[in-house]
Each structure stands twice: as structure tokens, then as C-alpha cells.
Amino acid sequence: MDVSHILDPLNDAQREAVTLPKQSALILAGAGSGKTRVLTHRIAWLIKTQGISPFGLLAVTFTNKAAAEMRVRIESLLETPLTGMWVGTFHGISHRLLRMHYEKAKLPKNFQIMDADDQLRLVKRVSAGLGLDEKQWPARQAVWFINSQKDEGLRPKNIEDYDDLYLKTHLAIYGAYQEACERGGMVDFAELLLRAHELWLNNPEILNHYQDRFSALLVDEFQDTNTVQYAWLRVLAGDRDNLIVVGDDDQSIYGWRGARIENIQRFSEDFKNSQIIRLEQNYRSTGSILKAANHLIGNNAGRLGKELWTDEGDGDLINLYSSYNEIDEARYIAERIARWVADGNRHDESAILYRSNAQSRVLEEAMLRLQLPYRIYGGQRFFERAEIRNALGYIRLVSQRDADAAFERVVNVPPRGMGNRTLEEIREVARLEQVSLWIAAERLVADSSLTARKKNSISGFLSLVEDMDEATRGVDLETLVERVIEKSGLVPYYEKERGERGQARLENLGELVSAAGSFDPKQNLTFDPLGENIEDVSLLDEFLSHASLEAGDAQGGSNEDCVQLMTMHSAKGLEFPLVFLAGMEEGLFPHRMSLEEPGRLEEERRLCYVGLTRAMRYLYLTHAESRRLNGSDNYNRLSRFVTEIPEELIQEVRLQNTGARSSNFDINQTDGEFSLGQRVLHAKFGEGVVLNYEGQGNQARVQVNFSEGSKWLMVSFANLETIG
Ligand code: ATP
Ligand code: MG
């Protein structure tokens, strides 16, 4: 069989990895050295030459987007559509397993996935039920405790409390929370993994079945697996010696979320026959970008150590732009991208990466001003919007009355005069009688001691949901969603919310109806066409799980040509010809939370290494002398990460006729000059500070921050006087 198209585009080390005989291996290599390429080519090679069907392969990636991309690449190598192969995230695959074996996993057939928000609510309720003061025992802290225990594979009974109040209290919350989850048939994200792992441990016949089925297991971004994920892999691999993992210790950036960089070291001990293959040639970036990245990461201790090289030549120097403030920074980036597009490049070949989501707003405004289409990854995602969650809350209750999180969410949205006291009574009954909120509410209505007013508000809600159920029996998914929204009263409720926001919410509700209409579970990445063990999970449950799990890595159509905006975390594994790292400032990046702890500072540095190595040809680092973020003004020094890059690799960008690094743009005016930060006086608005400018000559406009807010003014008409 001719597999030259699979093997030819590889170097020797890559080819060795792709054609390894069946065995375990660790492919340890730096950014852009072809790790992901090795995985896809190996899968194609296994199918073409080793007689392994796609059905016998399991590939784990870090995001749904990465899984989809991998699928496309394999299909193009195989020149046929790929069906039956399990490729997805740990969460997605675990979810699939639990659906197929719900009984053995001790879950109800229509179990629901709780997202972070549902989880927080439930923890709050459980803590209150235990009589804990929210101030002393913040729910967020308890959520963090629960999730990190689950990530470590620990149930309350496995945890020693050392007679310590903090541990004892959190264990009590964890225990009560877990009971509430079991009662309501709800599963949080961390639970998906832990439960799937336990499913295998407790059911050897199921484990054997999957061990026999999968001839090869392949894992990308292995450096970011946590304890339970690694345990999950080890159990599945057993002694079959068929696990190939690829990773880069220098790109481990999820330690704060429980990832264990040590898993890389443990791998060779746990899989005795495994081989280590290193790839050192980089095919992504220019020499200057690579040298900068190598130097930067050289400041970390305890690395496994590897140096990247390229034979592509040095390329351009790295550009450093010092802006006056964040608006100037964003404007500069937008202008630079506009020029890039004008030169005949695509928008989506450019990416703006930042440390914190809050930075995106100003960048978006700059994109809008220059009419550059853009797309944000990992911002607030469609299924996370309040209006969507509310609609889904009703839908969930229709499907499952015991869904307490949904009950809490919508019982008084839109407001239906259900007072806090009434709600508290419902919770109390649920607590005492160990039943769901729904049943508690029913019991309260039946109880004659309640005032008529309270009774009415509760029974009004109960019959609304019953009504929805009746009106949607036997209809298709789209009609169901449409009718539930119609009956919920959400539409008039959002119509009252004035302005664009209300309008956007209504549009999103419409979008939810279309999403339901076009929902196809076969598109699910781990959908199994042979249907082994698949119980007929209702399409509705499938859709609700999809909404929680998928929550989309991104919003909007994926094929549009847009500038890509995302956090550095979300950029892992991706590459772009033109990359901006915005906000290279101490306190922002490295983040101030990481400054005290050496371990976390090193993780920030790895994140910077990830950022730098996304760039293929052009890399811009920008920082602002003053930055308004989250409502406060900051004057940050240049990030240490910039100073850790050798000076000779960096060129400072200077604009027009400006000299200093502080880059004062000068605007020539017939009778004077303005610069950014200049104080000016306007006859009507009073004193202000110049924030921004655009255009030249008669077209020149300045943005000035006056006490009543900022305004754009035509320089030639405004008659601004400079002060000082
Ligand atoms: P990261 O660590 O960022 O995930 P990676 O090691 O997974 O990077 P890939 O994304 O697989 O690297 O490859 C980086 C780029 O180099 C891709 O554009 C890929 O197509 C290209 N590439 C990899 N190997 C070769 C090769 N042998 N010849 C030509 N191009 C290659
Ligand atoms: Mg990769």
C-alpha cells in the first residue's frame, strides 16, 4: 500500500515516531516541532498499514476545536471520511461512556451535566443547609476544594481531616453536595472524569471490553493532564502497552487547575517498555522568534531541557511597541492588522493574544472602529449567556423535574412574586425530607398551613412547567424549545430590557431555537455509529448535554475570515503568521497573583513561551504606560518577560515622527500641537486629557477625556487650548 503521502512530509525523528511498532511511547518535544502532526500521521498510518479500523482508535485532545481539526487532517490523509473513531476531550469521551453505561455508573438515564454556575449555586444552597455562614465559608472556595479533590480522584471518604476545622467543614460540604448531586442525577465537570474512571475500576468487564476494542490510544498535550486523567489513561491502557502521548513540559500551563507536569516524568516509570522520542526541529517560527522563546524559557529551573532550532533563517526582528495607554495600544494593533490585510493577507492569519479576558473589550472597540471582522475565543460563550441558561433551565425541568439547579434558576425568572421566604421554605422541606425542590414544592402546596398567596405563587410555577410538558409531548426538538420559550414568559421579560442588550437577548433565544433545529447528535465527536450499548438517550437530553459540555470553544460561524482574539491559554496548539501579545506588563503578565510564588511565576513564563511560539513570521509585543482595567488605573512597568529576551532580537516600533519609547503621537495643528496625555481646555466641556487621535490635516480628530466622559472632536473645529 502506498503510504508515501503519509510518511514523506516528515523528518526522520517524526517518521520514527509515526511508524513505531505497537508499544508505548512518550514524544517529548518543544513547540512547533510537529507533535500534533505526528499524532495525526500515526493514526492515518495505523489505519492504512496495520489493519486497524478507526473504530479501534482513541485519540484525546485538549479542546473540541483541536479534536475537530485533527479529524479533518486525518480525513484528508486517508482521503475518506472517518467514522467510528473516538476523538475528543477527556470530558467529552467520559461523558459518552457514562451515557452508554449509566446503570453501571449508578446514574439515572437522563442525568444532567452541571456547569460551573449550576455548581456554585448548589454549593451555596448546601452550605446554607449546613448552617454555614457564607462570609466565613465562601461558596467559591468550597467549589474549588471539591473540584480539586475530584481532580485528585478523591471522594470524601478518602480524605483525612486531621481534625482541622477548614478540612472538616469543606469535607462536610463536599459530602452534602455529592449527596444532592446523586439525588438530582447531576454530574459536574470533574465528576465526569472521576466517575468514568470509577466505572472502569468497578466493572472489569466494561474495562476489558474497551481494552479489547482500542488497539491504540493517543494523547495530545499530555503535559496538561491532571491526576485523574492520567489514572484514567493508565487504567485503560492496562498492560496493553499501546499508549502514545505527546507533550512539552515547557508548555504546561494548567497547574492552577490541577494539571500535573510530573505526569511526564512518571510516564517512563509507569510504562516500563516505553520509548522516548525527541523532536527538536521547529517548522513553525522564524529563527528570531525561536531564539527569543528559547532564551525566555531558559530562565525556568527544572526543565527536561530541549533546544529548538529551525533551518528557515532568522526572519524579522521581534517588534516592541510602547503605547501611552490601552486605547493607544489597541489602535496601534488594529492599524497594523489593517495594513496586513491591505497587503493581501487574510484576517484570520492574524491573532491578538492577551493574559486576561478583560483586555478584550478595548481591542474589540479598535477592531470595530477600523471595521475589521474579529472573533473572540473563550469569551462568554453562547450557552453560558443568562438568557440561554434560563431557557435551558425550563427545558431541563420539563425533561426532569428533579433538576434542582434548573429549579433554582428559573423559579422566579421572570419574576412571579415568589418571595425569598417562600423559596427558603421550599429549600427547608427539601432538606428535611431529603427530596428534590420540585417535590418539596408539591408537598408545600398540598399542605394546608400555607397562606393562599404563597400557595398560588408556587402552584402557578408548578403548573406552568406541567403545561410546558403537556404542550411539547411528541413534538420535535425545535418545536419543543420554541414552545417552552414561548410559554416561559422570557420574551416579554427581555423585551422590557431596553436597548441593544435586550434585543441581543431576544436574538439569542431565537438562535437557541435554530440550534435545536439543526442539532445532530451524529456530529458529536464521539458519536458511535455502531451504537454499541447506546441506550436511546432522548434527543433532548443529548441536546442539553451538548449545551453544557460543548459550550463551544468559540462563538459565531467558524469559517469566516476574522481576526482571532483569545487568551494565551486558549491559543495552545494553534499557530498564526502574525501574532500580537498585548499587555506585556508586570502585574498583568506575569499576573500579579503569581508574583509571590516561584512555581506560579514559572507557569506564567511557560504561558509566555506558549504565546511567543504561536507566531510563525511576525511577532509584536505591546505594552501600555497606563492602563485602565477592571475599573482602576494602573501604571505598570514593562514585563520582565520582555527584558528576558535578548535586546538584539527586539526592535522598538516608532511611529511617524516620534522619538521616545513613550511614543507621543504628535498631531500638527496650525496653531499648536497635541500629544497623547496632553491636557487641553474646551470652551464648553472644560478641561480634559487627550486619549487618542486619528486622521490628519482637516480630517484630524482627537479623543479627549472630559469630566463628563470622553468625546471625539474635530481638531479643526474644536478650538482646543493646550494647558501646561
Ligand atoms: P505545539 O507544541 O504548539 O502544539 P506541535 O509540536 O504540535 O506544536 P505542529 O502543530 O504539529 O507542532 O506543527 C507545527 C507546524 O509545523 C505545523 O504547521 C506543521 O504542519 C508544520 N510541520 C511539522 N512537521 C513538519 C515537517 N516535517 N515538514 C514541514 N512542516 C512540518
Ligand atoms: Mg500541538
Side-chain angles (χ1 to χ4, degrees), residues 31-32 34-37 220-221 246 251 284 572-574 614:
K35 295 185 296 300
T36 304
R37 174 182 280 225
D220 201 358
E221 308 275 6
V246 307
Q251 294 187 71
R284 177 181 294 151
K572 198 166 73 148
L574 307 179
R614 298 310 97 197

Coordinates of all heavy atoms in Angstrom, one line a residue, residues 31-32 34-37 220-221 246 251 284 572-574 614, ligand 2:
A31 N 7.7 23.4 21.2 CA 6.6 24.0 20.4 C 6.9 24.0 18.9 O 8.0 24.2 18.5 CB 6.3 25.4 20.8
G32 N 5.9 23.6 18.1 CA 6.0 23.7 16.7 C 6.9 22.7 16.1 O 7.4 22.8 14.9
G34 N 6.1 19.6 15.5 CA 5.3 18.6 14.8 C 4.7 17.5 15.6 O 4.4 16.4 15.1
K35 N 4.5 17.8 16.9 CA 3.9 16.7 17.8 C 2.5 16.4 17.3 O 2.2 15.2 17.2 CB 3.9 17.2 19.2 CG 5.2 17.5 19.9 CD 5.1 17.8 21.3 CE 4.4 19.2 21.6 NZ 5.0 20.3 20.9
T36 N 1.7 17.4 17.1 CA 0.3 17.1 16.7 C 0.3 16.4 15.3 O -0.5 15.5 15.0 CB -0.5 18.4 16.7 OG1 -0.4 19.0 18.0 CG2 -2.0 18.1 16.4
R37 N 1.3 16.9 14.5 CA 1.4 16.3 13.1 C 1.7 14.8 13.3 O 1.2 14.0 12.6 CB 2.4 17.0 12.3 CG 2.7 16.3 11.0 CD 3.8 17.0 10.2 NE 3.3 18.2 9.5 CZ 3.6 18.4 8.2 NH1 4.4 17.6 7.5 NH2 3.2 19.5 7.6
D220 N -2.8 14.0 23.0 CA -2.0 15.3 22.7 C -2.0 16.1 23.9 O -2.8 16.0 24.8 CB -2.7 16.0 21.5 CG -1.8 17.0 20.8 OD1 -0.6 17.1 21.2 OD2 -2.3 17.6 19.8
E221 N -1.0 17.0 24.0 CA -0.9 18.0 25.1 C -0.9 17.3 26.5 O -1.6 17.7 27.4 CB -2.1 19.0 25.1 CG -2.3 19.7 23.8 CD -1.4 20.9 23.6 OE1 -0.5 21.2 24.5 OE2 -1.5 21.6 22.6
V246 N 2.0 12.7 23.6 CA 2.9 13.7 23.1 C 2.8 15.0 24.0 O 1.7 15.3 24.5 CB 2.7 14.2 21.7 CG1 2.8 13.0 20.7 CG2 1.5 15.0 21.5
Q251 N 5.3 23.8 28.1 CA 4.0 24.3 27.8 C 2.9 23.9 28.8 O 1.7 24.0 28.5 CB 3.6 24.0 26.4 CG 4.5 24.6 25.3 CD 3.9 24.3 23.9 OE1 2.9 24.9 23.5 NE2 4.6 23.4 23.1
R284 N 7.7 25.9 12.5 CA 6.6 26.9 12.6 C 7.2 28.4 12.5 O 6.6 29.2 11.7 CB 5.8 26.8 13.9 CG 4.8 27.9 14.1 CD 4.1 27.7 15.4 NE 3.3 26.5 15.5 CZ 3.0 25.8 16.5 NH1 3.5 26.1 17.7 NH2 2.3 24.7 16.5
K572 N -3.1 27.7 22.9 CA -2.3 26.5 23.0 C -2.5 25.6 21.7 O -3.7 25.4 21.4 CB -2.6 25.7 24.2 CG -1.6 24.7 24.6 CD -1.8 24.2 26.0 CE -2.9 23.3 26.1 NZ -2.7 22.2 27.1
G573 N -1.5 25.2 21.1 CA -1.6 24.3 19.9 C -1.8 25.0 18.6 O -1.7 24.4 17.6
L574 N -2.2 26.3 18.6 CA -2.5 27.0 17.4 C -1.3 27.7 16.8 O -0.3 27.9 17.5 CB -3.6 28.0 17.7 CG -4.9 27.4 18.3 CD1 -5.9 28.5 18.5 CD2 -5.5 26.3 17.5
R614 N 3.5 30.9 19.2 CA 2.3 30.8 18.3 C 2.6 31.5 17.0 O 1.9 31.3 16.0 CB 1.0 31.4 18.9 CG 0.5 30.8 20.2 CD 0.3 29.3 20.1 NE 1.5 28.7 20.7 CZ 1.8 27.4 20.5 NH1 1.0 26.6 19.7 NH2 2.9 26.9 21.0
Ligands
MG2 MG 0.4 20.6 19.0

